[in-house]
Coordinates of all heavy atoms in Angstrom, one line a residue:
M1486 N -0.3 36.3 29.3 CA 0.5 36.9 30.5 C 0.7 35.5 31.4 O 1.9 35.5 31.9 CB -0.2 37.9 31.2 CG 0.4 38.3 32.4 SD -0.3 39.6 33.5 CE -1.6 38.6 34.3
F1487 N -0.3 34.8 31.6 CA 0.0 33.6 32.5 C 1.1 32.7 32.0 O 2.0 32.2 32.8 CB -1.3 32.8 32.6 CG -2.3 33.5 33.6 CD1 -3.7 33.2 33.4 CD2 -1.9 34.2 34.7 CE1 -4.6 33.8 34.1 CE2 -2.9 34.8 35.5 CZ -4.4 34.6 35.2
C1488 N 1.1 32.6 30.6 CA 2.2 31.8 30.1 C 3.5 32.5 30.2 O 4.6 31.9 30.6 CB 2.0 31.6 28.5 SG 0.6 30.6 28.1
V1489 N 3.6 33.8 30.1 CA 4.9 34.6 30.2 C 5.3 34.6 31.6 O 6.4 34.4 31.8 CB 4.6 36.1 29.7 CG1 5.8 37.0 30.0 CG2 4.3 36.1 28.1
N1490 N 4.4 34.6 32.5 CA 4.8 34.4 33.9 C 5.5 33.2 34.3 O 6.5 33.2 34.9 CB 3.5 34.5 34.8 CG 2.8 35.7 35.0 OD1 3.3 36.8 34.5 ND2 1.6 35.7 35.5
E1491 N 5.2 32.2 33.5 CA 5.8 30.8 33.7 C 7.1 30.8 32.9 O 8.2 30.4 33.5 CB 5.0 29.8 33.2 CG 3.6 29.5 34.0 CD 3.9 29.5 35.5 OE1 4.5 28.5 36.0 OE2 3.4 30.5 36.2
A1492 N 7.1 31.5 31.7 CA 8.3 31.3 30.9 C 9.5 32.1 31.4 O 10.6 31.7 31.4 CB 8.0 31.8 29.5
I1493 N 9.2 33.3 32.1 CA 10.4 34.1 32.5 C 11.0 33.4 33.7 O 12.3 33.9 34.0 CB 9.8 35.5 32.9 CG1 8.8 35.5 34.0 CG2 9.4 36.4 31.8 CD1 8.6 37.0 34.7
K1494 N 10.4 32.6 34.4 CA 11.1 31.8 35.5 C 12.3 31.0 35.0 O 13.2 30.8 35.7 CB 10.1 30.8 36.2 CG 9.0 31.5 36.8 CD 8.0 30.5 37.5 CE 6.7 31.1 38.1 NZ 5.6 30.3 38.4
R1495 N 12.3 30.6 33.8 CA 13.3 29.9 33.2 C 14.7 30.8 33.1 O 15.7 30.3 32.8 CB 13.0 29.4 31.7 CG 11.8 28.5 31.7 CD 11.2 28.2 30.2 NE 12.2 27.2 29.7 CZ 12.0 26.0 29.6 NH1 10.8 25.5 29.9 NH2 12.8 25.1 28.9
Y1496 N 14.4 32.0 33.0 CA 15.5 32.9 32.8 C 15.8 33.8 34.1 O 16.4 34.8 34.1 CB 15.1 34.0 31.7 CG 15.0 33.3 30.4 CD1 13.8 32.8 30.0 CD2 16.0 33.2 29.5 CE1 13.6 32.1 28.7 CE2 16.0 32.6 28.3 CZ 14.8 32.0 27.9 OH 14.7 31.3 26.7
D1497 N 15.2 33.3 35.2 CA 15.3 34.0 36.6 C 15.0 35.4 36.5 O 15.6 36.2 37.0 CB 16.9 33.8 37.1 CG 17.1 32.5 37.7 OD1 16.0 31.9 38.1 OD2 18.2 32.0 37.5
L1498 N 13.9 35.7 35.8 CA 13.4 37.1 35.6 C 12.2 37.3 36.5 O 11.4 36.4 36.7 CB 13.1 37.5 34.1 CG 14.2 37.7 33.3 CD1 13.6 37.6 31.8 CD2 14.9 38.9 33.5
T1499 N 12.0 38.5 36.9 CA 10.6 38.8 37.5 C 10.0 39.8 36.5 O 10.6 40.4 35.7 CB 11.0 39.6 39.0 OG1 11.8 40.6 38.6 CG2 11.6 38.7 40.0
P1500 N 8.7 40.0 36.7 CA 8.1 41.0 35.8 C 8.6 42.3 35.7 O 8.9 42.9 34.7 CB 6.6 41.1 36.5 CG 6.4 39.8 37.1 CD 7.7 39.3 37.6
E1501 N 9.1 42.8 37.0 CA 9.7 44.1 37.0 C 11.0 44.2 36.2 O 11.4 45.3 35.7 CB 10.0 44.5 38.5 CG 8.8 44.8 39.4 CD 8.0 43.4 39.6 OE1 8.6 42.4 39.6 OE2 6.7 43.6 39.9
K1502 N 11.7 43.0 36.0 CA 12.9 43.1 35.3 C 12.8 42.7 33.8 O 13.7 42.5 33.1 CB 13.9 42.1 36.0 CG 14.5 42.6 37.2 CD 15.6 41.7 37.6 CE 15.8 41.6 39.2 NZ 16.2 40.1 39.6
T1503 N 11.5 42.5 33.4 CA 11.2 41.9 32.1 C 10.7 42.9 31.1 O 9.6 43.6 31.4 CB 10.3 40.8 32.2 OG1 10.7 39.8 33.1 CG2 10.0 40.2 30.9
S1504 N 11.4 43.2 30.0 CA 10.9 44.1 29.1 C 10.1 43.4 28.0 O 10.4 42.2 27.6 CB 12.1 44.8 28.4 OG 12.9 44.0 27.8
V1505 N 8.9 44.1 27.6 CA 8.0 43.3 26.7 C 7.7 44.2 25.5 O 7.4 45.5 25.7 CB 6.7 43.0 27.4 CG1 5.7 42.3 26.5 CG2 7.0 42.3 28.7
V1506 N 7.7 43.6 24.3 CA 7.2 44.3 23.1 C 6.1 43.5 22.6 O 5.9 42.3 22.4 CB 8.3 44.3 22.0 CG1 7.7 44.8 20.7 CG2 9.4 45.3 22.4

Side-chain angles (χ1 to χ4, degrees):
M1486 180 181 74
F1487 288 147
C1488 287
V1489 171
N1490 289 348
E1491 295 310 294
I1493 61 170
K1494 293 179 188 162
R1495 304 171 75 99
Y1496 295 87
D1497 282 330
L1498 285 168
T1499 57
E1501 291 70 23
K1502 286 192 209 142
T1503 306
S1504 57
V1505 182
V1506 169

